[in-house]
Amino acid sequence: MKRPKGKGHNGWEKQANSALAKLRAPVEHAFAELKRWRVLDLVRISPNRITAVLHALLVITQKRSSLARG
């Protein structure tokens, strides 16, 4: 349902949007990081196997970025 002009979100909608954004941000950052790994364009293995590889890559990049921050 469309809101009337000039009417903003109420309190619970702002909280819900904020909570959703906090959950989505790490996932979006992870996918952005994976897109930079050009080697993944050349992968020719089973989707079941690449899932484990991608998980390991994400863990490595998260650890690396947390070490670089502090």
Side-chain angles (χ1 to χ4, degrees), residues 2-55:
K2 206 167 184 179
R3 292 196 186 289
K5 253 187 187 175
K7 297 285 185 180
H9 293 289
N10 59 28
W12 68 268
E13 288 175 315
K14 286 183 182 179
Q15 284 181 324
N17 286 344
S18 177
L20 181 61
K22 286 178 185 176
L23 290 173
R24 285 182 58 171
V27 175
E28 291 180 9
H29 287 257
F31 277 111
E33 180 72 25
L34 286 174
K35 286 180 183 179
R36 288 191 282 175
W37 289 66
R38 301 290 170 139
V39 71
L40 294 177
D41 292 337
L42 306 173
V43 171
R44 299 288 183 257
I45 63 175
S46 156
N48 294 335
R49 294 174 73 194
I50 194 63
T51 302
V53 172
L54 291 177
H55 187 263

Side-chain angles (χ1 to χ4, degrees), residues 26 29-31 33-34 37 50-69:
H29 287 257
F31 277 111
E33 180 72 25
L34 286 174
W37 289 66
I50 194 63
T51 302
V53 172
L54 291 177
H55 187 263
L57 285 172
L58 285 174
V59 169
I60 291 168
T61 55
Q62 287 174 344
K63 293 287 184 186
R64 186 180 65 184
S65 65
S66 68
L67 289 174
R69 276 188 248 137

